[in-house]
Amino acid sequence: MASLATAASEKANIEAFRSDVIDASKTMLVLVDFWADWCGPCKTLTPLLERVVATQADRVKLVKIDVDKNQTLASQFRIQSLPTVYAFLGGQPIDGFQGALGERELKAFIDRLLAGAPLPAGEADAEAEIAALLESAAQASAAGAHDEAAAMLGALARELPERESIAGKFALALLALGQTDAAAEALAAVPTDSKDGDVTRARAAIALAAKAVPVDDLAALKADVAASPDNHQLRFDLAGALLASSDRDGAADALLTIIAADRNWNEAAARTTLLKMFEATGLDDPWSIKTRARLRTVLFS
């Protein structure tokens, strides 16, 4: 009778696993924690898992499996050391680890896996709406309607202040309107080490704005540079004036001329400014690619 009871219990455990893990993982990320009461590290890991998973309960589920009471499952998954955690998504195990991790490591592990997890229906609809608004803003910006783009992006940035990419796009729209101070304010809460491409572009453009100093008589400044071609400060001032007048090519020409003559002049100010221009334009932009090739020719000729 005992063996029959044991077999029935194991069958029930397997059915529960199929429902709680396999089926559930088709709509969310499921973490399976294989543990035992006698396992010391398990007593450290399990409470951390519970706490981290609780912060994202709409997208992550934790299932705890006592290996002493689920020996068939433990055997099927070849559990050789405890604790062992498997991550399931789409009905399949996709990753896992053994041993106790710290809370930060657990969060990083879960965040990485969530990138491939389906969104709940409500969140999916919200993300679709955000994507549509971003597309509308991009179209408005491409058509030169930067005020409309800034209005849409500003509303999104206020609603989703944690989205670095939206803050970056908002700042770029403000920069297109000539609102440098407002663009800097839009990025104030974004971490300084952000790797978002739009944030990088916007910050570079803000830094360039300080160097883009308009002059009343651009022709006179050009004449002064022509009369004193070795005066790097004059030429650097000309580059700033050309930037202010949106003459990107002219500014690059002036900076490249300084670099060719003295690449270390004024602590490599010309090269630093040119690199900022690349960042502000976008490293993959055709203009940046072409001008970077010119810079390489100057540096290595």
Side-chain angles (χ1 to χ4, degrees):
M1 294 292 293
S3 61
L4 290 175
T6 301
S9 176
E10 290 285 3
K11 182 178 180 181
N13 289 341
I14 292 171
E15 288 299 321
F17 186 88
R18 181 177 292 111
S19 173
D20 295 341
V21 178
I22 304 300
D23 292 343
S25 72
K26 295 175 182 177
T27 58
M28 67 193 312
L29 177 66
V30 179
L31 300 181
V32 182
D33 176 21
F34 289 93
W35 67 285
D37 188 58
W38 45 264
C39 167
C42 297
K43 296 177 182 178
T44 299
L45 178 67
T46 299
L48 284 178
L49 274 171
E50 291 172 339
R51 184 159 65 244
V52 172
V53 168
T55 64
Q56 303 195 66
D58 57 335
R59 299 193 66 195
V60 188
K61 178 182 180 181
L62 176 64
V63 175
K64 293 178 283 187
I65 304 290
D66 184 339
V67 296
D68 290 333
K69 296 178 181 178
N70 295 269
Q71 295 182 12
T72 299
L73 281 172
S75 176
Q76 288 179 346
F77 284 95
R78 299 178 182 177
I79 304 301
Q80 297 180 342
S81 65
L82 297 178
T84 291
V85 174
Y86 277 104
F88 282 75
L89 192 60
Q92 299 290 332
I94 59 169
D95 207 341
F97 63 86
Q98 294 179 335
L101 299 183
E103 187 166 351
R104 179 179 297 180
E105 294 171 299
L106 284 176
K107 287 180 178 178
F109 176 78
I110 291 173
D111 287 345
R112 176 171 57 81
L113 297 179
L114 280 178
L119 290 171
E123 285 189 34
D125 292 342
E127 288 298 324
E129 184 177 349
I130 292 168
L133 284 170
L134 289 174
E135 178 60 26
S136 295
Q139 292 176 358
S141 183
H146 301 298
D147 53 345
E148 293 181 20
M152 287 186 279
L153 292 167
L156 280 175
R158 287 188 291 275
E159 185 177 347
L160 302 165
E162 74 283 0
R163 301 279 185 99
E164 296 178 10
S165 61
I166 293 176
K169 288 178 174 60
F170 180 36
L172 287 173
L174 292 170
L175 285 165
L177 292 169
Q179 300 178 19
T180 307
D181 290 342
E185 184 177 347
L187 297 176
V190 177
T192 56
D193 60 352
S194 172
K195 299 298 188 295
D196 180 78
D198 289 325
V199 170
T200 299
R201 285 183 59 206
R203 283 182 168 155
I206 291 167
L208 278 177
K211 303 177 186 295
V213 182
V215 296
D216 294 331
D217 192 343
L218 185 57
L221 179 54
K222 288 181 178 178
D224 290 341
V225 171
S228 305
D230 296 329
N231 188 325
H232 299 326
Q233 184 61 58
L234 260 183
R235 196 178 297 275
F236 190 73
D237 293 343
L238 174 61
L242 291 169
L243 274 175
S245 64
S246 300
D247 185 353
R248 184 174 57 182
D249 287 328
D253 289 343
L255 295 169
L256 285 166
T257 299
I258 296 171
I259 295 168
D262 184 356
R263 68 184 64 179
N264 294 317
W265 172 79
N266 195 18
E267 298 182 344
R271 183 180 179 185
T272 299
T273 302
L274 192 57
L275 294 178
K276 283 294 180 186
M277 290 176 66
F278 297 154
E279 287 184 1
T281 305
L283 296 180
D284 294 330
D285 184 88
W287 181 88
S288 292
I289 294 171
K290 178 185 69 175
T291 312
R292 282 158 61 194
R294 294 179 61 195
L295 175 60
R296 286 194 297 272
T297 299
V298 168
L299 291 174
F300 300 111
S301 60

